[in-house]
Amino acid sequence: MVDIAVSSCGATSSAIKRSQLRSALIAASAVLCLAGTPMAVGSADPVLTPQSDPFYTPPAGWVSQAPGTILNSRPVEVASMGPQAQDADAWQLLYRTTDVDGNPMATVTTVLRPRNGQVKGLISYQAAEDASAPQCAPSFVLRQGAPVENKYDSSLDLISIEQMLSTGHAISIPDWEGPKGTLIAARQPGYLTLDGVRAAERFEPLGLPGTDTPVAAMGYSGGSLGTSSAAQMQPIYAPELRLTGAVLGGWRTDFGSYLKVLDSGPFSGFMPAILPGMMRADPRLAAVFDKYLTPAGQALMAAGDSKCATPNVGQHPFLRMDDYLTIPFSQLLEEVQPLFADLDFGPVVPTAPMLHYHAVHDEIVDIAVSDQAVAQWCAAGAQITYMRDQLSDHVSLAVTGTPAALRWIDDRMAGQPAPAGCSTSTVPSM
């Protein structure tokens, strides 16, 4: 629905010698390069941010509505990264859902369907927002007319969304972090994702058969958090949904280990992007950080809380949290580790079959953590097909793994059973 033309910035990454730094600088160089490059993003008027857009404010009496109830809707245009307009209709739905404490919450999902043909089913796609700022939510960054600087983070998501549409799926893309950008909160991402599915099934223009709709949940990297939570919560919170499978790529769990990997590395800029949202999700975590952050650390968190992931990563490579704390970062992580137990994949084992895929040489999310989590879920009775990709890194697998993931989803929606039990395979490439 929009044409985007980007002039070349040259072989920015060709001189990069270190493989880990290369991927980080691809994102950073995009910010530096495109900031001064003319880019056509369609003729739509600039859109309001979620903070100032009245669409995000629920109507009076909304708290008494059932989870998944549509509170408001509007047609939108979703920006494409390709040269041709997307052959899809799109809307946004404001719906009632539930927060981490069990209280009513309202959030938004962007729903799409191909313009031609009957849809196969519904994919709930949890985008890798990886940021705490409200203007980084999918409902804003995917819209035609959103500022270019907000759209860098959505580029990989748009590639996956295009593939889902081309294979005949309707899509729900929820703001699974909620209106306050609470990136990592126990149970809440699952609630918001599943209620987005409920809303989509009730939205007549999508043409879905209600709770008979075959549904799959899918998310890569940061999006795997919302997807894994939805798979866990579905039997308890939304048992009426026909969840045929869940796909997790570059799965993030064990957040203490994840933050250790980020610290002082090429992707350390993710920390000021995600930590503010984590602190909003858990006041106990916020109290620990507030106790030990220096004034410079407080300023770092405040600045990171106002930007999306790509600017944060581009501005803060090799950031050392020790420089912003009154105690070593390793000591702080030991203190908050008990709080992370409720945020990790947890004791609830999904009943739907799952596909996991991960780059063996993932430079952002250590595959050893995924190996361990899969082994624990399998030991508890989960049904998982686990693929370890030898040739990809974290960023490239987000693109190259999608076709195989969609074939797996198509098989589940067509009624073909997933392989029984658990299996692990290490392949050259998916």
Side-chain angles (χ1 to χ4, degrees):
M1 298 180 183
V2 57
D3 293 342
I4 293 183
V6 183
S7 61
S8 173
C9 290
T12 306
S13 62
S14 62
I16 304 298
K17 302 301 183 183
R18 296 178 57 182
S19 60
Q20 282 194 325
L21 182 59
R22 182 186 184 109
S23 293
L25 290 186
I26 289 173
S29 64
V31 175
L32 298 174
C33 167
L34 296 177
T37 301
M39 177 181 268
V41 291
S43 58
D45 294 331
V47 297
L48 297 174
T49 62
Q51 301 97 308
S52 57
D53 188 341
F55 178 80
Y56 290 79
T57 301
W62 69 275
V63 296
S64 63
Q65 299 298 316
T69 299
I70 300 171
L71 306 173
N72 203 353
S73 66
R74 64 182 176 187
V76 293
E77 298 288 324
V78 173
S80 171
M81 297 300 286
Q84 302 296 325
Q86 283 187 336
D87 189 18
D89 293 317
W91 302 265
Q92 287 183 339
L93 313 177
L94 178 72
Y95 60 98
R96 195 272 204 201
T97 185
T98 306
D99 72 9
V100 64
D101 297 315
N103 299 315
M105 174 188 281
T107 193
V108 172
T109 186
T110 305
V111 295
L112 305 92
R113 62 157 293 151
R115 286 205 174 100
N116 299 315
Q118 186 173 359
V119 298
K120 297 178 180 178
L122 177 68
I123 296 177
S124 181
Y125 179 70
Q126 287 58 254
E129 186 174 338
D130 291 334
S132 306
Q135 69 269 21
C136 307
S139 63
F140 180 70
V141 300
L142 293 176
R143 287 187 64 189
Q144 182 179 359
V148 172
E149 60 267 23
N150 294 88
K151 284 190 166 293
Y152 299 134
D153 296 344
S154 67
S155 57
L156 294 178
D157 291 316
L158 284 161
I159 294 172
S160 297
I161 291 165
E162 191 79 49
Q163 293 183 63
M164 295 175 206
L165 290 169
S166 68
T167 51
H169 297 96
I171 313 170
S172 170
I173 310 167
D175 290 356
W176 60 270
E177 291 186 21
K180 295 182 180 179
T182 45
L183 176 62
I184 302 171
R187 302 173 300 281
Q188 180 177 294
Y191 299 158
L192 273 60
T193 297
L194 294 167
D195 284 328
V197 171
R198 284 169 162 162
E201 289 185 345
R202 295 169 180 172
F203 189 59
E204 193 170 318
L206 283 180
L208 301 173
T211 55
D212 290 333
T213 303
V215 177
M218 180 175 175
Y220 188 86
S221 188
S224 69
L225 301 175
T227 303
S228 61
S229 180
Q232 287 180 281
M233 293 298 102
Q234 182 268 328
I236 301 168
Y237 184 76
E240 82 282 4
L241 298 181
R242 187 183 161 196
L243 184 63
T244 62
V247 175
L248 310 179
W251 188 26
R252 290 187 186 175
T253 184
D254 190 351
F255 297 106
S257 296
Y258 174 58
L259 292 172
K260 286 179 183 178
V261 170
L262 290 178
D263 186 47
S264 303
F267 297 95
S268 55
F270 276 119
M271 290 193 291
I274 67 175
L275 282 172
M278 292 180 68
M279 287 186 269
R280 274 196 293 276
D282 192 332
R284 300 170 300 169
L285 186 66
V288 175
F289 272 90
D290 287 342
K291 180 179 178 181
Y292 297 119
L293 281 169
T294 65
Q298 296 282 1
L300 174 71
M301 293 298 113
D305 199 15
S306 67
K307 297 189 290 286
C308 298
T310 300
N312 273 305
V313 171
Q315 292 171 18
H316 299 292
F318 306 109
L319 178 149
R320 295 175 68 252
M321 283 301 298
D322 282 357
D323 296 335
Y324 298 91
L325 297 165
T326 58
I327 62 172
F329 189 41
S330 58
Q331 184 178 332
L332 184 150
L333 289 178
E334 288 179 6
E335 187 170 333
V336 300
Q337 185 60 39
L339 304 181
F340 289 149
D342 201 31
L343 299 177
D344 291 332
F345 59 92
V348 181
V349 177
T351 56
M354 290 179 285
L355 170 68
H356 292 238
Y357 59 100
H358 207 110
V360 172
H361 303 293
D362 194 310
E363 71 280 21
I364 300 178
V365 184
D366 189 350
I367 193 172
V369 175
S370 182
D371 289 345
Q372 182 180 16
V374 169
Q376 291 182 13
W377 265 7
C378 286
Q383 185 180 1
I384 300 175
T385 300
Y386 183 35
M387 299 182 69
R388 306 166 82 254
D389 186 302
Q390 291 181 311
L391 296 181
S392 301
D393 61 12
H394 187 84
V395 175
S396 63
L397 189 58
V399 178
T400 60
T402 299
L406 291 178
R407 286 194 296 271
W408 187 89
I409 287 173
D410 280 344
D411 287 343
R412 304 293 81 76
M413 287 188 175
Q416 182 176 330
C422 285
S423 64
T424 298
S425 59
T426 301
V427 298
S429 173
M430 289 182 65

